[in-house]
Amino acid sequence: MASSHTVLMRLVASAYSIAQKAGTIVRRVIAEGDLGIVEKTCPTDLQTKADRLAQMSICSSLARKFPKLTIIGEEDLPAEEVDQELIEDGQWEEILKQPCPSQYRTIKEEDLVVWVDPLDGTKEYTEGLLDNVTVLIGIAYEGKAIAGVINQPYYNYQNNGKQKLREHRHEAKAGPDAVLGRTIWGVLGLGAFGFQLKEVPSGKHIITTTRSHSNKLVTDCVTAMNPDDVLRVGGAGNKIIQLIEGKASAYVFASPGCKKWDTCAPEVILHAVGGKLTDIHGNALQYNKEVKHMNSAGVLATLRNYDYYASRVPESVKNALVP
């Protein structure tokens, strides 16, 4: 029966189930209590057992079902046999009921590049700021992000932001009558699903920016926006969700550091509901397999009023960030 569905919609339906599985792995590692933290390039660039297991699960599950895909994951992992219990071969049937946008109906498996961040917001994860964490699976065609899935393992998690990690280790629970975790998905030309679209009240300028990778450029650019409020949180996926749920009006990150796997899936969700994500100069991001992984000219994203924020990026910031 699967053959009656397009490659793209089968891939998105599978990615949905695979992202849910990865979210379960992320929760399980916390519950077991041994995060297995490794420092990669610096003290704010961390990798945990959850990053490693979730990436193995996502990449192996995708490759098994779609062997001709190009899959690029954040973590540099040695090739090894993957435990069968990490494999997810399900697909979300609701997605297969949706029509594939006509421009994508003839796409072949080998034409697609999948960008995977198995755990976006790792530093926050290690500090117990669990609601900052997302699993990101972005799908690109001809260099453009066209479909994406974001899983929030700890959506509905009651976190006051002050608890320490040891208090989460027994079991992270949702609030009363709430299901822990959710998955958002989208395809350009079809829409984005799994959340309630909301805008920041008109005339309010609320900026969301980095919590753990700030510097003078980042601060100068945020200040130039003349914001009413500034939110400093972890994770690119988390920040884009703040835009689509009316918690922030612009995501401003005037610095290298963000990578293609951080932005591919979130960009799709934002673009599918009429928002815009670019580098700090206003250039679209490219996602072909040969592209450099670093978004070296930063990120500027809004749900509405993109030009208002783009026009306020200081020339000094633009000159410092080379695409």
Side-chain angles (χ1 to χ4, degrees):
M1 183 64 201
S3 59
S4 67
H5 299 290
T6 62
V7 168
L8 180 64
M9 298 311 280
R10 283 195 299 118
L11 177 56
V12 176
S14 294
Y16 187 103
S17 295
I18 289 166
Q20 285 192 315
K21 169 90 168 183
T24 304
I25 292 167
V26 167
R27 288 193 296 268
R28 193 185 73 213
V29 170
I30 283 270
E32 289 171 354
D34 175 18
L35 294 191
I37 300 168
V38 177
E39 201 174 287
K40 293 198 288 189
T41 59
C42 66
T44 57
D45 187 15
L46 304 176
Q47 183 197 80
T48 69
K49 183 178 174 184
D51 295 82
R52 296 187 287 275
L53 290 176
Q55 178 160 310
M56 286 161 70
S57 174
I58 294 166
C59 295
S60 301
S61 300
L62 286 171
R64 195 168 285 202
K65 215 164 188 179
F66 303 93
K68 294 178 184 167
L69 283 181
T70 298
I71 304 167
I72 304 172
E74 173 175 11
E75 307 307 338
D76 205 3
L77 300 176
E80 58 180 274
E81 196 60 38
V82 174
D83 192 323
Q84 189 57 38
E85 70 103 11
L86 290 175
I87 301 296
E88 172 58 62
D89 62 3
Q91 55 190 14
W92 193 249
E93 295 298 329
E94 289 302 309
I95 292 174
L96 294 177
K97 294 175 187 170
Q98 299 280 350
C100 182
S102 56
Q103 66 268 38
Y104 304 139
R105 280 188 197 140
T106 58
I107 288 179
K108 298 186 183 73
E109 212 175 284
E110 56 267 36
D111 298 333
L112 294 167
V113 181
V114 181
W115 294 87
V116 175
D117 190 338
L119 201 169
D120 184 38
T122 301
K123 186 162 190 294
E124 286 68 30
Y125 180 68
T126 66
E127 294 172 7
L129 297 169
L130 302 179
D131 46 1
N132 286 209
V133 171
T134 58
V135 174
L136 305 174
I137 303 176
I139 299 164
Y141 172 63
E142 294 183 339
K144 185 178 180 184
I146 64 162
V149 175
I150 302 178
N151 176 271
Q152 288 175 284
Y154 292 99
Y155 179 72
N156 274 332
Y157 175 61
Q158 302 300 299
N159 180 9
N160 67 14
K162 296 190 178 75
Q163 293 163 288
K164 292 289 178 276
L165 195 55
R166 62 178 177 274
E167 294 170 35
H168 306 311
R169 283 189 171 148
H170 301 296
E171 194 182 353
K173 289 188 172 67
D177 308 318
V179 176
L180 188 60
R182 72 167 168 180
T183 305
I184 291 169
W185 68 279
V187 177
L188 292 192
L190 181 62
F193 309 89
F195 64 97
Q196 200 64 48
L197 184 66
K198 197 174 167 199
E199 295 184 27
V200 168
S202 184
K204 283 285 258 191
H205 301 291
I206 302 169
I207 305 295
T208 184
T209 192
T210 184
R211 175 179 168 269
S212 51
H213 303 282
S214 199
N215 57 39
K216 187 175 185 304
L217 272 185
V218 171
T219 311
D220 287 351
C221 198
V222 168
T223 305
M225 302 293 154
N226 198 19
D228 297 303
D229 197 8
V230 179
L231 310 176
R232 298 183 194 282
V233 300
N238 182 35
K239 294 180 190 72
I240 295 301
I241 291 168
Q242 289 185 318
L243 298 183
I244 61 176
E245 293 196 319
K247 296 186 178 81
S249 33
Y251 166 23
V252 179
F253 184 53
S255 177
C258 201
K259 311 278 200 324
K260 294 295 186 295
W261 44 72
D262 295 311
T263 50
C264 187
E267 174 181 317
V268 173
I269 305 300
L270 186 62
H271 285 178
V273 293
K276 187 169 181 178
L277 183 149
T278 66
D279 71 12
I280 222 77
H281 300 270
N283 302 312
L285 301 183
Q286 297 298 312
Y287 294 97
N288 45 298
K289 63 185 173 191
E290 302 82 11
V291 80
K292 65 178 178 180
H293 296 166
M294 181 78 75
N295 292 324
S296 51
V299 175
L300 176 64
T302 68
L303 177 61
R304 305 285 178 257
N305 306 318
Y306 173 87
D307 292 343
Y308 171 91
Y309 298 96
S311 68
R312 281 162 175 73
V313 175
E315 284 304 314
S316 58
V317 169
K318 290 182 181 176
N319 294 338
L321 293 175
V322 182

